[in-house]
Structures are given as structure tokens and as C-alpha cells.
Amino acid sequence: MRKVQFYGAISIDGYLATKDNRLDWLFQTPGANDAPTEAFMQQVDTAIMGRHTYEYTMEQTTDQLINPYNPATRNIVMTSQPQPGDERTQFTNSPVADIVQDLRLAPGRNIWIVGGAGVLMPLLAADLIDDLYIQIAPIILGTGIPLFTAVAHQQRFELVATNHYDQLAEVHFQRLPTE
């Protein structure tokens, strides 16, 4: 079965972007380019993200690829207003948990959860996240877009690894089986 993995970075105070969706604070962090992003991205063939993450990425990249290390990656963009996509990108307002449940059973590589709480939290609530790779930059933003929001129940993960890349810390957690 395919793994569902969140991979992303946050500030010390838990924000993954500023209120205006900027990430310059992350790219200015020494070591941000040393993280094993390429190795992670080579293991995925599907990326699921919200519309803001998709639009920001398209604005910032010249190659117009969410995953430059696997250009064939299928992008699923969660939005309240779906639009026509293309051979790589699908826009949908279907429940993200339903999409992921179907994808987990289909053949393929791992599934990358990109972006924020709007995509991540319903998957956590449905117990569909296998791994959390969270990189922490040594900055307090004070406000911004949080990675996590309130949950209805506790969920326990196991710490698998900690790494640091100059000033960027990375923690890898795996979901513990439910009893």
C-alpha cells in the first residue's frame, strides 16, 4: 500500500507561511537547500495540495513543476471552485480523505501532502497520514498560516529520526497503529 506523507517546513511557532503566503523566511534559512528534498520527492508520484500552495508554487517556479525530481507527478489541487486541469494537474472539491483512501489502494509510489491545515487536518482526522516530515526553521513569525489546527481526538506518532541541516532541524514521525 502506498504511504501518505506530509513533507514541509514550519517556523518555531508552527507557521508554514506568512499571512500573505510568503516563504522567503524559509529560503533565507541556512541549510534549507541541504535538506534531502530530492530523495523524498523521487519516492512520490502524487502531490495533494490546496489552491494557495499550488498558485504560490506556480508563481515561484520557472519549470512549472510541483515535483521537479519526478516531472510525471500527478498534482491534485483541493479547491472550492474546480477548474479544468491538464495532463498533470486536477482541480477538485471532493473530500480529500475520500481521494486519499482511493489513491492508497491504487498502484503507484508514495503520496505527498503539500501545504497546510486545510489538506492535512482532514487526513489526520481520518487517520490517513503515515509519516510527518517536518522541518523547523529558527524563526518566530508571530502570525501566519498554521500547519495544525484543532483536532477532535489525540493521535500518537512515533519519532523515527531527527536531523539538522545547518540551521534547519528536521523531525520524522510515523503514525502508530490504532488499537
Side-chain angles (χ1 to χ4, degrees):
M1 186 178 307
R2 301 165 77 178
K3 284 188 170 188
V4 180
Q5 302 172 307
F6 171 84
Y7 184 91
I10 60 172
S11 62
I12 292 173
D13 51 349
Y15 296 108
L16 49 86
T18 61
K19 284 283 186 196
D20 58 352
N21 293 306
R22 286 191 359 265
L23 296 174
D24 53 336
W25 57 272
L26 174 61
F27 302 128
Q28 295 167 2
T29 301
N33 293 327
D34 300 329
T37 304
E38 180 177 351
F40 175 85
M41 289 185 166
Q42 288 175 344
Q43 298 175 36
V44 301
D45 66 1
T46 304
I48 301 175
M49 71 212 76
R51 182 181 54 83
H52 292 294
T53 299
Y54 176 78
E55 289 175 354
Y56 177 84
T57 304
M58 292 297 103
E59 288 173 10
Q60 300 299 314
T61 61
T62 55
D63 57 15
Q64 298 295 284
L65 296 171
I66 298 294
N67 183 353
Y69 305 106
N70 182 359
T73 296
R74 175 181 176 203
N75 304 308
I76 300 173
V77 181
M78 309 306 300
T79 178
S80 60
Q81 300 175 345
Q83 58 192 4
D86 57 31
E87 67 277 357
R88 282 193 317 249
T89 305
Q90 168 191 351
F91 297 88
T92 182
N93 59 1
S94 298
V96 68
D98 293 347
I99 293 168
V100 168
Q101 286 175 332
D102 291 342
L103 286 171
R104 284 178 70 123
L105 301 174
R109 295 181 182 176
N110 295 338
I111 302 161
W112 174 28
I113 306 306
V114 188
V119 175
L120 179 61
M121 296 312 294
L123 297 174
L124 284 170
D127 199 26
L128 291 171
I129 296 292
D130 297 303
D131 293 290
L132 295 165
Y133 290 88
I134 301 173
Q135 297 163 347
I136 305 165
I139 184 171
I140 294 174
L141 295 176
T143 187
I145 299 169
L147 176 57
F148 298 104
T149 56
V151 294
H153 66 281
Q154 291 184 358
Q155 189 172 6
R156 173 108 17 215
F157 284 77
E158 176 181 35
L159 177 63
V160 176
T162 59
N163 296 294
H164 73 88
Y165 310 99
D166 197 348
Q167 291 298 300
L168 192 71
E170 180 182 78
V171 290
H172 173 196
F173 299 103
Q174 279 185 340
R175 176 175 44 96
L176 288 174
T178 54
E179 299 176 21

